[in-house]
Amino acid sequence: VNEADFIQALRGFSSLIGDDSAVVPTPGGGDLLFTTDFTIENVHFKRSAPARHVGYQAVARSLSDIAAMGGQPLYCLIAIALAPWTTARWLDGFYRGARRALGGCRLAGGDVSHARDFIANVTVVGSVGRGKALLRSGARPGDRIYVSGKLGGWHHKKKIVPRLDLGRKLVGRASACMDISDGLALDLFRLCAASGVAAQLDTVPLLPRATEKQALHDGEDYELLYTVPSGRRAPGFPIGRIIDGSPSITLRGERIRPGGYDHFQQLGRKARV
Amino acid sequence: VNEADFIQALRGFSSLIGDDSAVVPTPGGGDLLFTTDFTIENVHFKRSAPARHVGYQAVARSLSDIAAMGGQPLYCLIAIALAPWTTARWLDGFYRGARRALGGCRLAGGDVSHARDFIANVTVVGSVGRGKALLRSGARPGDRIYVSGKLGGWHHKKKIVPRLDLGRKLVGRASACMDISDGLALDLFRLCAASGVAAQLDTVPLLPRATEKQALHDGEDYELLYTVPSGRRAPGFPIGRIIDGSPSITLRGERIRPGGYDHFQQLGRKARV
């Protein structure tokens, strides 16, 4: 079993699964967005990381999903499982960081439990105009592919900047959008698979000291990846073009394997999944 | 630091914190409810437990919070962190159990990660009429106190039955309501503290082979605890009465310490929190 197969099996349970956030209609006329993300010690951060940074990233990770849908974040739930090493001072720092990331999004509840490692789970509820959410499935042959920023920064250190303003600007402009959480190659492959198209990349904008390999296959960039119909203008870095074909990616003509961060692969090394 | 102090500190960040679910208005006229709950290996279940039971309980725990608010569950997000021992077969059982608990509530998304222990986080979104949610803060002197069922079953084994129908029936009838997740004594104390009242208990209805001590101080009963103005009829077991006074509980005239399951206490034995 790999993560893609597993998510595919889950989709059999519900048509709402598959984008960065779930999209559900409200009686008031708009759509609501729901997203939930783990932040786990030794997976997403090391105990030595500043508490504020951990809290900030935990919230920013979910806000980035709302940005990818073109939405406005409204409410946030923070569930935490305290580890034996967690001090009141550390928790205070964690919540300071979380609040800084929240901006105008309101903390609306949570849960407190305990575990061997510190774990946070952040759920964000957002809103977007009815039928206006940016999905992964709208890319069409001829569309240009963009990223919102340079890629390949070393992922545990970099501060996530959720591209909320850009996401809202892309509503009605981009044909498809998602955030890059598991590496450009894997995430672009997911976008291609959702849209039933292939991608030709010409270039990958790199952060200082980053390699193309890092930009393609490392996780946690949290830039937006989006497609725009040709002739329409959009901000960001153009990196290639959508073409007809079964889901695949080439960079300057060379085929790129859609390898990125896969939680099932991480386990596969030591486990039976 | 104990859990109560911590939750109190969090309330300083947001007025939405303090009930079983957050309550937020929607443009359509109703209120939305949000709740999030962890299910953690070695805290909420043992690896030897049947996967279906673990999945069922994980979802039922959050549905019980929606029931306690008098709400209707609409959407569910399930985030899971796979442990090294997690097999595809076990996961399949987990999701079968989760779906059985969901009933008409739709699975709308989630997250997949990995950790040393298996962890699930379930978020449920529900709805309730504008201003109709059952809160903890509405109990008044003279109200009768009820529980929805017998208490004190051994918590890791018992199947949670979210009291959704009862919760909806209590809307407009109960003055306050919550679910019993951490033991009657601690949860009733929380209700008293939220309402600024005291409680006199006459009796505690017990499950077969349960002791009064278990019913008062063990967690995970997941029955509803609610108060009803005198003269109004309500289903359930009457167990006592709300009186004037600072938050406290007596049982047949004897003072009961509000001790129950406190995650900070669990840590306190081995940690610095």
Side-chain angles (χ1 to χ4, degrees), chain A residues 180-204:
Chain A
I180 303 177
S181 56
D182 295 326
L184 175 63
L186 182 55
D187 284 323
L188 180 55
F189 185 81
R190 288 167 175 160
L191 189 148
C192 286
S195 298
V197 297
Q200 275 181 344
L201 298 181
D202 307 317
T203 178
V204 178

Side-chain angles (χ1 to χ4, degrees), chain B residues 178-201:
Chain B
M178 67 185 297
D179 72 344
I180 303 177
S181 56
D182 295 327
L184 175 62
L186 182 54
D187 285 324
L188 179 55
F189 184 82
R190 288 168 175 160
L191 187 148
C192 285
S195 297
V197 297
Q200 275 181 343
L201 297 181

Side-chain angles (χ1 to χ4, degrees), chain A residues 27-28, chain B residues 25-31 128-131:
Chain B
T26 64
D31 284 339
V128 67
R130 172 68 50 89

Side-chain angles (χ1 to χ4, degrees), chain B residues 66-104:
Chain B
I66 299 294
M69 306 296 288
Q72 168 89 29
L74 300 176
Y75 301 105
C76 176
L77 305 173
I78 303 181
I80 54 169
L82 305 166
W85 58 263
T86 315
T87 60
R89 183 190 160 89
W90 193 92
L91 260 189
D92 182 63
F94 175 87
Y95 275 93
R96 275 172 201 271
R99 286 171 74 188
R100 195 152 44 93
L102 279 170

Side-chain angles (χ1 to χ4, degrees), chain B residues 39 43-46 49-50 52-61 64 100-101 147-163 179-184 187 204-211 214-216 218-224 237:
Chain B
T39 293
V43 176
H44 299 91
F45 74 96
K46 298 280 178 201
R52 279 196 188 208
H53 181 69
V54 178
Y56 175 92
Q57 298 283 93
V59 169
R61 201 168 275 126
S64 179
R100 195 152 44 93
V147 288
S148 57
K150 296 177 176 180
L151 306 178
W154 176 241
H155 59 283
H156 286 307
K157 300 250 170 83
K158 225 174 87 179
K159 193 177 151 190
I160 300 169
V161 181
R163 302 292 182 194
D179 72 344
I180 303 177
S181 56
D182 295 327
L184 175 62
D187 285 324
V204 179
L206 297 177
L207 282 165
R209 291 185 303 282
T211 66
Q214 286 172 339
L216 287 167
D218 270 6
E220 306 252 321
D221 271 304
Y222 292 100
E223 294 292 347
L224 296 189
F237 297 87

